[in-house]
Amino acid sequence: MFIFVVMSLKTKEIASINALTEIIVDEIFQTYFMYGPGLYERIYEATLAGRLRSRGLKVERQKQIFISNEFIENEPAFFADLIVEELVIIELKSVAKLEKVMFKQVRSYLKLLDLRVGFLVNFNSSFLKRDIHRVTNQYDEELHGF
């Protein structure tokens, strides 16, 4: 019985995250369609945050993240572009090309925040679908959509 409950909770969590990421992707596209490519990241960030809030979601913008461990205490680590519902981090770019280190950066953010799913989005794109990347903390077929 206990195993069934745990599996059920995991299934509900994954369904919730997947539903949330569908909304996020939709609003990323709507934001892109408003402006097209080439603006500063902060314009896309502010608009996307506003659009997500209008859908009733909790969105934290430019949230400063601190690290504490046995060697440091409350050391500023980075600013998260957007954190949605305390479940998904979104890292926005407006660059000519996404570099491999940017994907690693998002994965590091996920690990530090103990989140499972994030997005790396490059708005400076002529075909946005190729520049929305779902990044996960650990490989999970259900979270990758397979």
Side-chain angles (χ1 to χ4, degrees):
M1 180 68 175
F2 179 73
I3 293 172
F4 175 76
V5 172
V6 172
M7 289 173 49
S8 178
L9 289 175
K10 181 181 179 194
T11 303
K12 285 181 182 181
E13 178 188 357
I14 289 170
S16 174
I17 290 172
N18 285 336
L20 178 59
T21 60
E22 285 180 28
I23 293 169
I24 291 169
V25 170
D26 180 52
E27 294 304 338
I28 288 169
F29 276 109
Q30 295 307 315
T31 300
Y32 180 80
F33 295 147
M34 280 182 83
Y35 300 117
L39 298 177
Y40 289 120
E41 292 169 20
R42 68 177 178 258
I43 300 300
Y44 300 111
E45 180 185 302
T47 302
L48 180 56
R51 295 186 69 90
L52 292 168
R53 286 183 186 120
S54 76
R55 300 273 301 255
L57 299 175
K58 177 184 175 189
V59 180
E60 296 172 282
R61 185 172 169 218
Q62 288 299 313
K63 180 177 182 178
Q64 189 168 21
I65 306 301
F66 297 88
I67 294 178
S68 293
N69 59 41
E70 62 187 290
F71 305 106
I72 57 176
E73 188 172 324
N74 289 328
E75 187 68 25
F78 66 95
F79 287 90
D81 288 347
L82 298 173
I83 299 177
V84 183
E85 292 289 315
E86 298 179 359
L87 292 171
V88 178
I89 188 167
I90 307 172
E91 180 67 20
L92 304 176
K93 303 289 184 190
S94 186
V95 295
K97 178 184 172 196
L98 291 174
E99 301 294 333
K100 287 182 182 180
V101 71
M102 295 172 182
F103 291 89
K104 292 177 183 179
Q105 175 186 28
V106 175
R107 192 160 284 114
S108 293
Y109 292 175
L110 290 169
K111 287 179 184 177
L112 289 170
L113 293 169
D114 194 28
L115 298 177
R116 294 178 68 185
V117 178
F119 284 96
L120 175 60
V121 181
N122 183 16
F123 278 101
N124 192 20
S125 173
S126 57
F127 189 61
L128 184 65
K129 187 174 182 178
R130 286 188 296 223
D131 280 314
I132 299 174
H133 302 276
R134 186 175 173 137
V135 181
T136 59
N137 191 348
Q138 296 177 351
Y139 184 77
D140 185 325
E141 287 183 5
E142 293 179 81
L143 288 173
H144 281 279
F146 297 111

